[in-house]
Amino acid sequence: MKKRYRVLIYIGLILYVIGGFLLTAYTKNIIYIIIVFASFFVLAILATPLYIIRIRKEFKRQEKLSVDEAIEEINDKEGYNQLEYSVHQIKSVVDTWKLSSKADIIKGLLFLIFFIGCIIAFVIFMSMEKFVLGIVFFCLAVGEILCAFIVVKILETKAILPKKKEKLRNDIAVVLGTTISSQSSTGNRHHTIGDTTYKVFLKIGDQRFVTYSKEYYEIGDKLRVCINIKNAKKVYIVEKIKDIVDIEENF
């Protein structure tokens, strides 16, 4: 939708609300303001299926793109790109869910259940005027989010910057998939995606590993990696191997 049409729609909605309040004030009949809010509610119900259709269409379109291509399209698009950016975030969560192990999925569900439980408890206790308990549950919810953010940042930093004294062995890994671990963006109605850290799912032999990288890798890419001898879960990406000749040169 062009910008001038959106502006006209917003102006019309604002005038509609103002008109409802003025009629209510003039006639002293609350029915007019009830009609205004009821019409907005009906409009939201009617618009939701249309918005879901747009989201599904955009989701299918982005499925044909790599993460890097989607980011480039979002950044290059002029004007409003909220829909594309939102679908990009949703797709990242879906892709991570598909590639995650059962243990990680269970951890994610427990995390979500605990967070929702804390928010529900916060609302219940505040409505019962038990403010101390309400604040405690609110702090638990916020604390959980902060802890998750800090843990992810630590894992990203350690995976990208290994310690110099670590004893490592070389190996070859195959990329199972790449999703977004964390991402910065600027803007409100037009989002510009900045620094991105990727979560890379690897297969080494018969085992699956997860590591992090600033570079995006396609499914099936072969990578030269280093594995911590004492802790095999610590995998560091060295470089992408282009062909069999490179593999023989590196090892």
Side-chain angles (χ1 to χ4, degrees):
M1 187 183 291
K2 292 183 179 180
K3 186 176 180 180
R4 63 172 178 269
Y5 295 136
R6 289 203 304 270
V7 171
L8 288 173
I9 290 171
Y10 293 149
I11 291 172
L13 291 173
I14 291 168
L15 291 174
Y16 179 67
V17 173
I18 292 172
F21 277 107
L22 289 175
L23 279 171
T24 301
Y26 180 75
T27 62
K28 296 182 180 180
N29 192 340
I30 200 171
I31 189 65
Y32 293 106
I33 200 63
I34 292 173
I35 290 171
V36 168
F37 285 106
S39 59
F40 274 111
F41 180 72
V42 172
L43 184 64
I45 292 173
L46 294 174
T48 298
L50 296 175
Y51 195 70
I52 291 172
I53 291 170
R54 287 185 64 196
I55 289 173
R56 289 187 64 182
K57 186 178 179 181
E58 178 63 23
F59 190 91
K60 288 180 179 179
R61 192 187 70 82
Q62 288 196 22
E63 279 187 322
K64 300 175 183 178
L65 305 174
S66 68
V67 176
D68 265 6
E69 289 172 339
I71 291 172
E72 187 177 351
E73 278 198 5
I74 291 168
N75 287 343
D76 290 344
K77 183 177 180 181
E78 295 181 2
Y80 181 76
N81 66 352
Q82 178 64 50
L83 177 66
E84 291 82 358
Y85 178 76
S86 299
V87 172
H88 171 68
Q89 298 296 318
I90 294 168
K91 186 177 178 296
S92 173
V93 174
V94 172
D95 290 343
T96 303
W97 182 275
K98 288 178 179 178
L99 290 166
S100 297
S101 64
K102 288 182 179 179
D104 287 335
I105 290 173
I106 291 171
K107 289 176 185 176
L109 287 173
L110 291 174
F111 176 91
L112 186 62
I113 290 168
F114 181 80
F115 178 78
I116 293 172
C118 287
I119 296 299
I120 291 172
F122 165 72
V123 173
I124 291 171
F125 285 119
M126 293 300 283
S127 64
M128 294 171 63
E129 297 186 358
K130 294 184 178 181
F131 301 115
V132 175
L133 285 173
I135 292 170
V136 167
F137 278 101
F138 178 79
C139 290
L140 285 173
V142 174
E144 185 190 30
I145 298 296
L146 289 175
C147 286
F149 176 80
I150 292 168
V151 168
V152 168
K153 286 299 177 184
I154 291 171
L155 290 173
E156 290 177 354
T157 304
K158 286 186 175 181
I160 296 170
L161 298 171
K163 294 179 181 179
K164 293 181 179 180
K165 295 182 180 180
E166 282 189 84
K167 293 182 179 181
L168 306 170
R169 65 178 177 85
N170 294 329
D171 212 324
I172 298 172
V174 178
V175 178
L176 298 175
T178 305
T179 62
I180 295 168
S181 175
S182 62
Q183 194 174 66
S184 63
S185 66
T186 56
N188 184 14
R189 301 187 64 79
H190 180 276
H191 295 270
T192 301
I193 297 172
D195 183 58
T196 301
T197 301
Y198 298 100
K199 190 174 185 178
V200 187
F201 296 83
L202 304 172
K203 186 176 182 181
I204 303 174
D206 295 329
Q207 293 182 302
R208 290 166 58 96
F209 296 87
V210 176
T211 190
Y212 299 87
S213 173
K214 289 293 183 181
E215 293 185 34
Y216 175 81
Y217 298 102
E218 298 282 355
I219 296 172
D221 282 348
K222 290 183 175 64
L223 309 177
R224 185 162 79 88
V225 299
C226 291
I227 303 174
N228 188 298
I229 294 174
K230 293 183 179 179
N231 185 359
K233 290 183 179 180
K234 291 184 178 181
V235 179
Y236 308 101
I237 297 173
V238 179
E239 61 183 353
K240 179 181 175 181
I241 300 173
K242 296 180 181 178
D243 50 41
I244 301 299
V245 176
D246 286 347
I247 295 174
E248 292 176 353
E249 288 177 355
N250 285 315
F251 295 92

